[in-house]
Amino acid sequence: MALTEERAIIGALSPSRAGDFMTCPLLYRFRVIDRLPEKPSPAAVRGTLVHAVLERLYDLPSEARTVAAAQDLLEPQWRRLLDEAPEYGGLFADDEERDRWLAEAKGMVERYFTLEDPRRLEPAEREMYVEAVLDSGLLLRGYIDRLDVAPTGEVRVVDYKTGSAPGPEFEAKALFQMRFYALALWRLRGAVPRMLQLMYLGNGEIIRYVPDEADLRATERKVQALWEAIERSLQSREWRARRSRLCDWCDHQELCPEFGGTPPPVPDRDPGLSSRRSSHRAASDEL
Protein backbone atom coordinates (compact mmCIF):
# COMPACT_ATOMS: atom_id res chain seq x y z
CA MET A 1 0.00 0.00 0.00
CA ALA A 2 1.39 3.40 -0.97
CA LEU A 3 0.91 6.51 1.14
CA THR A 4 -1.41 8.00 -1.47
CA GLU A 5 -4.09 5.55 -0.35
CA GLU A 6 -6.36 6.26 2.60
CA ARG A 7 -5.12 4.43 5.65
CA ALA A 8 -4.92 5.38 9.32
CA ILE A 9 -1.31 5.23 10.48
CA ILE A 10 -1.00 3.37 13.78
CA GLY A 11 2.76 3.88 14.18
CA ALA A 12 6.07 4.07 12.38
CA LEU A 13 9.11 1.81 12.37
CA SER A 14 12.51 1.90 10.71
CA PRO A 15 14.97 -1.01 10.53
CA SER A 16 17.29 0.78 12.97
CA ARG A 17 14.60 1.26 15.58
CA ALA A 18 13.28 -2.27 15.05
CA GLY A 19 16.84 -3.46 15.64
CA ASP A 20 17.02 -1.38 18.82
CA PHE A 21 13.91 -3.03 20.24
CA MET A 22 15.15 -6.51 19.38
CA THR A 23 18.50 -5.72 21.01
CA CYS A 24 17.09 -4.03 24.12
CA PRO A 25 13.57 -2.64 24.64
CA LEU A 26 14.95 -0.09 27.12
CA LEU A 27 17.37 1.19 24.48
CA TYR A 28 14.40 1.66 22.12
CA ARG A 29 12.63 3.62 24.83
CA PHE A 30 15.64 5.86 25.52
CA ARG A 31 16.06 6.64 21.81
CA VAL A 32 12.45 6.90 20.65
CA ILE A 33 10.33 7.80 23.67
CA ASP A 34 12.77 9.73 25.86
CA ARG A 35 14.85 10.94 22.89
CA LEU A 36 17.95 11.10 25.05
CA PRO A 37 21.01 12.65 23.42
CA GLU A 38 23.88 10.38 22.41
CA LYS A 39 27.47 11.27 21.68
CA PRO A 40 28.58 10.54 18.12
CA SER A 41 31.40 8.02 17.96
CA PRO A 42 34.37 8.17 15.57
CA ALA A 43 33.22 4.88 14.00
CA ALA A 44 29.70 6.19 13.42
CA VAL A 45 30.87 9.46 11.90
CA ARG A 46 33.36 7.59 9.74
CA GLY A 47 30.45 5.57 8.39
CA THR A 48 28.58 8.77 7.57
CA LEU A 49 31.65 10.17 5.79
CA VAL A 50 32.29 7.05 3.70
CA HIS A 51 28.62 6.87 2.72
CA ALA A 52 28.69 10.50 1.62
CA VAL A 53 31.75 9.87 -0.55
CA LEU A 54 30.23 6.81 -2.23
CA GLU A 55 26.97 8.65 -2.85
CA ARG A 56 28.73 11.56 -4.54
CA LEU A 57 31.10 9.33 -6.48
CA TYR A 58 28.20 8.57 -8.81
CA ASP A 59 27.74 12.27 -9.55
CA LEU A 60 30.94 11.99 -11.59
CA PRO A 61 30.98 10.80 -15.22
CA SER A 62 31.45 7.03 -15.34
CA GLU A 63 35.01 7.20 -16.68
CA ALA A 64 36.02 9.56 -13.84
CA ARG A 65 34.96 7.19 -11.04
CA THR A 66 38.43 6.16 -9.95
CA VAL A 67 40.01 5.39 -6.59
CA ALA A 68 41.87 8.70 -6.66
CA ALA A 69 38.71 10.67 -7.50
CA ALA A 70 36.81 9.00 -4.66
CA GLN A 71 39.58 9.67 -2.16
CA ASP A 72 39.70 13.30 -3.30
CA LEU A 73 36.10 13.58 -2.10
CA LEU A 74 37.00 12.72 1.50
CA GLU A 75 38.37 16.09 2.61
CA PRO A 76 35.52 18.23 1.18
CA GLN A 77 32.91 15.86 2.56
CA TRP A 78 34.58 15.93 5.97
CA ARG A 79 34.53 19.74 5.90
CA ARG A 80 30.84 19.65 4.95
CA LEU A 81 30.05 17.35 7.88
CA LEU A 82 31.96 19.67 10.22
CA ASP A 83 29.97 22.63 8.95
CA GLU A 84 26.72 20.78 9.61
CA ALA A 85 27.81 19.32 12.96
CA PRO A 86 30.72 21.29 14.50
CA GLU A 87 30.74 18.93 17.49
CA TYR A 88 32.41 16.32 15.28
CA GLY A 89 35.58 18.36 15.60
CA GLY A 90 35.78 17.29 19.25
CA LEU A 91 35.92 13.58 18.45
CA PHE A 92 39.72 13.49 18.36
CA ALA A 93 42.37 14.27 20.94
CA ASP A 94 44.70 15.81 18.37
CA ASP A 95 45.39 16.17 14.65
CA GLU A 96 47.35 12.93 14.59
CA GLU A 97 44.37 10.95 15.83
CA ARG A 98 42.10 12.67 13.29
CA ASP A 99 44.56 11.90 10.48
CA ARG A 100 44.63 8.21 11.41
CA TRP A 101 40.84 8.21 11.36
CA LEU A 102 40.77 9.82 7.91
CA ALA A 103 43.33 7.27 6.71
CA GLU A 104 41.00 4.46 7.83
CA ALA A 105 38.15 6.06 5.89
CA LYS A 106 40.46 6.39 2.88
CA GLY A 107 41.28 2.67 3.11
CA MET A 108 37.58 1.77 3.15
CA VAL A 109 36.91 3.88 0.08
CA GLU A 110 39.80 2.14 -1.70
CA ARG A 111 38.50 -1.28 -0.60
CA TYR A 112 35.14 -0.50 -2.19
CA PHE A 113 36.82 -0.59 -5.61
CA THR A 114 37.95 -4.18 -4.98
CA LEU A 115 34.30 -5.22 -4.65
CA GLU A 116 32.84 -3.66 -7.78
CA ASP A 117 33.68 -1.27 -10.61
CA PRO A 118 31.60 1.91 -10.30
CA ARG A 119 32.44 2.84 -13.89
CA ARG A 120 30.11 0.03 -15.01
CA LEU A 121 27.16 1.04 -12.84
CA GLU A 122 24.46 3.68 -13.10
CA PRO A 123 22.37 3.47 -9.91
CA ALA A 124 18.70 4.24 -10.27
CA GLU A 125 18.61 5.75 -6.76
CA ARG A 126 21.09 6.79 -4.08
CA GLU A 127 20.21 7.58 -0.47
CA MET A 128 16.64 6.70 -1.37
CA TYR A 129 14.05 7.49 1.30
CA VAL A 130 11.16 5.00 1.26
CA GLU A 131 7.83 4.85 3.05
CA ALA A 132 5.20 2.14 2.78
CA VAL A 133 2.15 1.29 4.88
CA LEU A 134 1.21 -2.26 5.78
CA ASP A 135 -2.43 -3.36 5.81
CA SER A 136 -2.36 -2.97 9.61
CA GLY A 137 -1.56 0.73 9.26
CA LEU A 138 2.06 0.39 10.38
CA LEU A 139 4.33 2.76 8.45
CA LEU A 140 7.69 1.36 7.36
CA ARG A 141 10.36 3.90 6.54
CA GLY A 142 14.07 4.19 6.02
CA TYR A 143 16.94 5.09 3.72
CA ILE A 144 18.35 2.73 1.11
CA ASP A 145 21.98 3.38 0.21
CA ARG A 146 21.61 2.40 -3.42
CA LEU A 147 19.03 0.93 -5.75
CA ASP A 148 20.17 -0.67 -9.00
CA VAL A 149 17.67 -1.46 -11.74
CA ALA A 150 18.67 -3.76 -14.62
CA PRO A 151 17.48 -3.07 -18.20
CA THR A 152 15.10 -6.01 -17.74
CA GLY A 153 13.61 -4.41 -14.63
CA GLU A 154 15.14 -6.52 -11.86
CA VAL A 155 15.95 -4.52 -8.73
CA ARG A 156 19.01 -4.88 -6.51
CA VAL A 157 19.08 -3.26 -3.07
CA VAL A 158 22.63 -2.34 -1.99
CA ASP A 159 23.76 -1.35 1.48
CA TYR A 160 27.27 -0.23 2.46
CA LYS A 161 28.66 -1.23 5.85
CA THR A 162 31.85 0.26 7.25
CA GLY A 163 32.35 -2.58 9.70
CA SER A 164 33.41 -6.16 8.99
CA ALA A 165 31.09 -8.93 7.84
CA PRO A 166 29.44 -10.77 10.76
CA GLY A 167 29.92 -14.43 11.50
CA PRO A 168 27.26 -16.95 10.45
CA GLU A 169 25.50 -16.66 13.81
CA PHE A 170 24.88 -12.92 13.26
CA GLU A 171 24.24 -12.94 9.52
CA ALA A 172 20.45 -13.24 9.90
CA LYS A 173 20.39 -10.12 12.05
CA ALA A 174 22.37 -8.23 9.40
CA LEU A 175 19.99 -9.38 6.67
CA PHE A 176 16.90 -8.32 8.65
CA GLN A 177 17.53 -4.70 7.68
CA MET A 178 17.69 -5.68 4.01
CA ARG A 179 14.52 -7.77 4.22
CA PHE A 180 12.84 -4.80 5.88
CA TYR A 181 13.76 -2.59 2.90
CA ALA A 182 12.71 -5.29 0.46
CA LEU A 183 9.34 -5.55 2.21
CA ALA A 184 8.84 -1.77 2.00
CA LEU A 185 9.73 -1.75 -1.70
CA TRP A 186 7.46 -4.71 -2.40
CA ARG A 187 4.52 -3.04 -0.68
CA LEU A 188 5.31 0.25 -2.40
CA ARG A 189 5.98 -1.01 -5.94
CA GLY A 190 4.36 -4.42 -6.07
CA ALA A 191 7.52 -6.33 -7.07
CA VAL A 192 9.94 -8.34 -4.94
CA PRO A 193 13.56 -7.12 -5.34
CA ARG A 194 15.73 -9.60 -7.19
CA MET A 195 18.80 -9.26 -4.96
CA LEU A 196 19.80 -7.88 -1.55
CA GLN A 197 23.48 -7.04 -1.24
CA LEU A 198 25.48 -6.02 1.83
CA MET A 199 28.96 -4.67 1.09
CA TYR A 200 31.34 -4.70 4.08
CA LEU A 201 34.09 -2.16 3.56
CA GLY A 202 35.82 -3.09 6.80
CA ASN A 203 37.09 -6.41 5.47
CA GLY A 204 36.03 -6.43 1.81
CA GLU A 205 33.28 -9.07 1.95
CA ILE A 206 29.87 -9.17 0.28
CA ILE A 207 26.75 -10.93 1.51
CA ARG A 208 24.08 -11.52 -1.13
CA TYR A 209 20.58 -12.78 -0.57
CA VAL A 210 17.74 -13.56 -2.98
CA PRO A 211 14.37 -12.94 -1.31
CA ASP A 212 11.03 -14.34 -2.41
CA GLU A 213 7.43 -13.49 -1.62
CA ALA A 214 7.15 -16.05 1.18
CA ASP A 215 10.29 -14.65 2.75
CA LEU A 216 8.90 -11.12 2.73
CA ARG A 217 5.54 -12.25 4.12
CA ALA A 218 7.46 -13.82 7.02
CA THR A 219 9.36 -10.54 7.47
CA GLU A 220 6.06 -8.66 7.53
CA ARG A 221 4.77 -10.95 10.27
CA LYS A 222 7.95 -10.40 12.28
CA VAL A 223 7.77 -6.62 11.88
CA GLN A 224 4.11 -6.64 12.88
CA ALA A 225 4.87 -8.76 15.93
CA LEU A 226 7.64 -6.34 16.90
CA TRP A 227 5.23 -3.43 16.70
CA GLU A 228 2.68 -5.26 18.82
CA ALA A 229 5.38 -5.86 21.43
CA ILE A 230 6.26 -2.15 21.34
CA GLU A 231 2.58 -1.29 21.83
CA ARG A 232 2.40 -3.60 24.85
CA SER A 233 5.39 -1.80 26.37
CA LEU A 234 3.73 1.54 25.63
CA GLN A 235 0.57 0.46 27.43
CA SER A 236 2.32 -1.14 30.39
CA ARG A 237 5.06 1.54 30.50
CA GLU A 238 7.52 -1.27 31.11
CA TRP A 239 10.68 -1.39 28.99
CA ARG A 240 12.89 -4.31 29.87
CA ALA A 241 16.66 -3.97 29.73
CA ARG A 242 18.43 -6.78 27.89
CA ARG A 243 22.12 -7.13 28.60
CA SER A 244 24.47 -8.04 25.75
CA ARG A 245 27.94 -7.31 24.41
CA LEU A 246 26.48 -4.19 22.76
CA CYS A 247 26.09 -2.63 26.22
CA ASP A 248 29.79 -1.71 26.08
CA TRP A 249 28.94 0.92 23.45
CA CYS A 250 25.73 2.23 25.05
CA ASP A 251 25.59 5.87 26.21
CA HIS A 252 22.88 5.16 28.76
CA GLN A 253 24.50 2.81 31.27
CA GLU A 254 24.02 5.34 34.11
CA LEU A 255 20.24 5.04 33.63
CA CYS A 256 20.14 1.28 33.07
CA PRO A 257 19.08 -1.15 35.84
CA GLU A 258 21.57 -3.68 34.50
CA PHE A 259 24.33 -1.29 35.61
CA GLY A 260 22.74 -0.08 38.83
CA GLY A 261 20.95 2.90 37.29
CA THR A 262 17.35 4.08 37.44
CA PRO A 263 15.52 5.17 34.27
CA PRO A 264 13.67 8.50 34.43
CA PRO A 265 9.85 8.52 34.43
CA VAL A 266 8.43 7.51 31.05
CA PRO A 267 7.29 10.59 29.11
CA ASP A 268 3.96 10.64 27.31
CA ARG A 269 5.06 10.44 23.70
CA ASP A 270 4.11 8.30 20.72
CA PRO A 271 7.02 6.58 18.96
CA GLY A 272 8.01 8.00 15.61
CA LEU A 273 4.82 9.79 14.62
CA SER A 274 5.80 13.43 15.06
CA SER A 275 7.74 13.66 11.81
CA ARG A 276 8.06 11.16 9.02
CA ARG A 277 11.24 12.36 7.43
CA SER A 278 14.18 14.14 9.00
CA SER A 279 16.30 16.61 7.08
CA HIS A 280 19.35 14.36 7.24
CA ARG A 281 20.46 11.00 8.52
CA ALA A 282 22.09 10.76 11.90
CA ALA A 283 25.64 9.50 12.10
CA SER A 284 25.55 5.76 12.47
CA ASP A 285 27.87 2.94 11.53
CA GLU A 286 24.70 1.01 10.67
CA LEU A 287 23.88 3.34 7.76
Side-chain angles (χ1 to χ4, degrees), residues 49 53 70-79 102 105-106 109:
L49 174 60
V53 167
Q71 291 176 337
D72 285 345
L73 291 169
L74 278 165
E75 282 288 350
Q77 288 306 309
W78 172 230
R79 290 195 298 270
L102 282 170
K106 184 177 181 179
V109 169

Side-chain angles (χ1 to χ4, degrees), residues 26 38 102 110 129-130 160 235 264:
L26 185 59
E38 296 180 342
L102 282 170
E110 182 176 0
Y129 181 76
V130 293
Y160 307 122
Q235 293 166 5

Side-chain angles (χ1 to χ4, degrees), residues 4 34 40 43 78 85 88 122 124 133 140 157 205 207 225 233 240 254 261 269 283:
T4 54
D34 297 82
W78 172 230
Y88 290 172
E122 291 297 339
V133 183
L140 307 184
V157 181
E205 292 187 23
I207 295 177
S233 291
R240 184 168 57 88
E254 291 183 357
R269 184 178 293 141

Side-chain angles (χ1 to χ4, degrees), residues 88-165:
Y88 290 172
L91 289 171
F92 312 105
D94 49 39
D95 290 347
E96 183 179 349
E97 183 178 336
R98 181 204 59 207
D99 291 343
R100 286 197 302 269
W101 177 85
L102 282 170
E104 292 171 351
K106 184 177 181 179
M108 290 179 179
V109 169
E110 182 176 0
R111 192 169 294 119
Y112 165 72
F113 284 80
T114 68
L115 301 178
E116 63 183 3
D117 185 352
R119 295 171 299 181
R120 303 179 62 181
L121 296 168
E122 291 297 339
E125 301 283 353
R126 288 169 283 152
E127 291 292 306
M128 178 186 179
Y129 181 76
V130 293
E131 288 185 340
V133 183
L134 303 181
D135 290 341
S136 66
L138 178 62
L139 172 69
L140 307 184
R141 61 185 176 189
Y143 285 88
I144 295 173
D145 287 344
R146 200 180 84 208
L147 201 70
D148 299 335
V149 180
T152 51
E154 289 93 348
V155 170
R156 177 171 64 180
V157 181
V158 179
D159 194 73
Y160 307 122
K161 298 293 185 186
T162 49
S164 297

